[in-house]
Amino acid sequence: RVQLVEDGGGSVQPGESLRLSCAVSGGTYSRYCMAWFRQAPGKDREGIAGIDRNGFTNYAESMQDRFAITRDDAKETLYLQINNLKPEDSGVYYCAADSHWSGSFCQPMLNRFDYWGQGVQVTVSS
């Protein structure tokens, strides 16, 4: 059974940076399209970025400047670097895996991912 466990969240001040991680186990991680999503209080979950097994990335519009998705297949871990954090970045961040990825664009679209982590809280306030 595929399991995803996020880490690295916390409370930070505006302008600071965080690196979230997502450890994957129980599956063939290196084949998956992986992605990060977030959900702010009272809002729908939204995609941030996806990365395929070849390292090609796709970012949601407005997410390209301060967010960077990377993956380490040897460690079976996905990362999200967030720079210059803003209060509106607060929310729960989720990683997700598309285990049926067939080589098309790996985009952070909610309905294509079949495994999800439990989420990690990020709070940005002064």
Side-chain angles (χ1 to χ4, degrees):
R1 182 172 176 271
V2 179
Q3 291 188 308
L4 288 72
V5 179
E6 299 95 338
D7 196 7
S11 296
V12 297
Q13 294 188 342
E16 293 185 339
S17 299
L18 278 177
R19 189 174 81 153
L20 308 181
S21 63
C22 171
V24 182
S25 61
T28 313
Y29 168 78
S30 62
R31 296 183 181 178
Y32 299 160
C33 159
M34 300 293 300
W36 285 99
F37 295 80
R38 71 180 181 184
Q39 188 165 18
K43 294 188 177 181
D44 294 333
R45 193 172 299 188
E46 62 176 343
I48 299 172
I51 184 168
D52 68 21
R53 64 186 181 195
N54 300 310
F56 291 112
T57 58
N58 287 283
Y59 289 86
E61 191 173 356
S62 81
M63 301 289 189
Q64 298 188 30
D65 290 339
R66 299 184 294 113
F67 296 83
I69 186 172
T70 57
R71 63 190 291 165
D72 185 331
D73 287 356
K75 295 182 179 179
E76 296 189 323
T77 302
L78 179 73
Y79 300 98
L80 182 69
Q81 178 73 33
I82 315 173
N83 298 321
N84 189 22
L85 278 152
K86 302 178 180 182
E88 53 264 40
D89 294 321
S90 297
V92 180
Y93 284 69
Y94 300 89
C95 64
D98 174 3
S99 66
H100 304 294
W101 183 69
S102 59
S104 60
F105 287 113
C106 176
Q107 294 177 312
M109 298 173 65
L110 279 170
N111 60 359
R112 71 181 300 165
F113 292 88
D114 50 338
Y115 292 103
W116 292 82
Q118 82 287 351
V120 64
Q121 178 70 44
V122 172
T123 303
V124 186
S125 69
S126 55

